[in-house]
Amino acid sequence: MSKPSLEKVYQWLEEVKDPEIPVLSLVDLGVITNVTISDKVRIEMTPTFVGCPAIDYMKNDIIETLNKHGQEAEVDINFKKSWSSDLISEKGKIALKKFGLAPPPDSKLFTDLEILENAECPRCSKTNTELRNPFGPTLCRAIFYCNDCKEAFEQFKPV
Amino acid sequence: MNNEALKELLYKMADDQLILGHRNSEWTGFGPLLEEDIAFSSMAQDKVGHSLALYTILQELGEQDPDTVAFTRNAEQFHNSLLTELPNGEYDFSLIRHFLYDTAEALRFEMLTQSSFEPLAQLSAKIRGELRYHTMHANTWIKQLGSATTESITRLQKSLEYALPYALGMFEKSPFENALISEGIFAGEQVLEDKWKRKVEEVLAQTQLQLPAWDTITPHLGGRVGKHTEHLQPLLDEMSEVLRIDPTAEW
């Protein structure tokens, strides 16, 4: 098997999705921090949250996907480059919204819970919303309520 | 780098996170309102995750694997502060403990982003961001309930007075304090304690809660050297129950 290009590897990694948000690839999520290609493909990744229970699942998924493309792969999970919600790509943010999750606002703006008060509702795109809980069903989500739609929605937390 | 000093620091931090993470998880299904049930459960998951990351660094320094370290030690081999092992009590105590502990925890990781030990500095930079949600959660509730009704204020005041001596025990000095400071691994418990006091004062000043003078409080020490209350061993027994029944179980 010949050595693949970096571009090709990233293309394959696009096939690997976040197990909890199946519309978002790990590349768009921003958790792939480095790729080097030598005798095998070496991938460095970092978790969204340190306690994310999906990280081992993602790691195995990467290895399986690359094996499927005839590549030997090794995945190293580390904190050399710290993940932030700002690393989610524009394409990823659009996918999140379509999935029904409000994309995270710029994490640098986030200094106070009040900043988080009015997220944009992924259904009606308006901000007549309120924060119900900064903690949600997974570590990376907060719970909001849209006063116009009269329904709860989740936001991918800025961090 | 002084490995013994480093390990001592990592163990006490990891044990704090694991034990309080476990206590927080005991609120799952029992929170006074659904949002608080979810909040304490999420913070439990974060803290246990932080302990795993710290135990993993310890493993890289030659210690046993994280599961062995977490589930097979006895109480006297744990270095968590006494504050973290106390039973949850009622919500007022859990909230006060959450506020006092998480304020210190957030400051400790903030300080450690400057550590000369690179793996810890990198991990701390990550954890610092997550902890903003924990301290904001604590501060929001302390400010609200600390100025709400006579009952909420009285309950929080009582829990505050009970918890403060244990909280000061978090800053029990390590035998390696000088080595940690001189090697730039950690700026030391005294610096942390001072920062923590200023922060606690700042938040409580926005409530009707009364902070006793610091010099009237005698710290409850011992946790860092394995001298624990009677509450830790039953917690560890419960935590390791599955492993003791079936050491080969996967979960």
Side-chain angles (χ1 to χ4, degrees), chain B residues 134-149:
Chain B
H134 298 210
T135 51
M136 271 192 271
H137 174 264
N139 295 348
T140 303
W141 280 105
I142 289 287
K143 285 183 209 167
Q144 281 183 10
L145 293 177
S147 319
T149 64

Side-chain angles (χ1 to χ4, degrees), chain A residues 48-50 53 110 133 158, chain B residues 35 45 126 130 132-133 136:
Chain A
T48 52
F49 278 70
V50 176
F110 162 51
N133 195 350
Chain B
E35 281 80 359
Q45 199 181 347
K126 175 67 193 144
E130 297 178 9
R132 285 159 82 185
Y133 282 95
M136 271 192 271

Side-chain angles (χ1 to χ4, degrees), chain A residues 47-51 53 79-80 82-84 107 110-113 116 132-137 139 143 157-159, chain B residues 34-36 38-43 45-46 48-50 53 119 122-123 125-127 129-130 132-134 136-137 140:
Chain A
T48 52
F49 278 70
V50 176
F79 298 95
K80 284 183 204 163
S82 189
W83 183 85
S84 144
S107 74
F110 162 51
T111 50
D112 207 304
L113 276 186
L116 304 178
R132 282 292 166 86
N133 195 350
F135 297 98
L139 291 182
I143 303 171
K157 277 154 98 154
V159 65
Chain B
L34 182 60
E35 281 80 359
E36 282 309 273
I38 297 170
F40 271 90
S41 305
S42 288
M43 293 188 290
Q45 199 181 347
D46 273 333
V48 173
H50 300 160
Q122 288 167 355
L123 179 65
K126 175 67 193 144
I127 290 179
E130 297 178 9
R132 285 159 82 185
Y133 282 95
H134 298 210
M136 271 192 271
H137 174 264
T140 303

Side-chain angles (χ1 to χ4, degrees), chain A residues 72-140:
Chain A
E72 253 195 274
E74 204 176 79
V75 179
D76 175 33
I77 297 165
N78 62 51
F79 298 95
K80 284 183 204 163
K81 185 177 173 193
S82 189
W83 183 85
S84 144
S85 52
D86 298 337
L87 294 174
I88 299 175
S89 69
E90 282 313 308
K91 179 164 138 270
K93 285 180 184 164
I94 294 167
L96 279 177
K97 195 175 167 187
K98 271 197 190 154
F99 185 63
L101 271 173
D106 188 335
S107 74
K108 285 179 286 298
L109 297 175
F110 162 51
T111 50
D112 207 304
L113 276 186
E114 270 93 70
I115 300 283
L116 304 178
E117 283 297 298
N118 301 101
E120 188 186 295
C121 171
R123 286 186 203 90
C124 68
S125 299
K126 282 185 275 191
T127 55
N128 183 16
T129 63
E130 54 193 82
L131 176 66
R132 282 292 166 86
N133 195 350
F135 297 98
T138 69
L139 291 182
C140 53

Side-chain angles (χ1 to χ4, degrees), chain A residues 13-34:
Chain A
L13 289 173
E14 282 278 345
E15 295 168 21
V16 188
K17 309 294 181 192
D18 179 329
E20 284 167 344
I21 311 169
V23 295
L24 192 63
S25 78
L26 298 192
V27 177
D28 286 320
L29 182 59
V31 294
I32 306 294
T33 51
N34 195 29

Side-chain angles (χ1 to χ4, degrees), chain B residues 7 11 55-70 72-73 77:
Chain B
K7 282 185 194 174
Y11 264 115
Y55 290 132
T56 303
I57 297 180
L58 277 163
Q59 189 180 15
E60 283 155 14
L61 293 171
E63 295 298 288
Q64 286 184 286
D65 72 282
D67 278 348
T68 303
V69 166
T72 64
R73 283 178 298 158
Q77 294 168 296

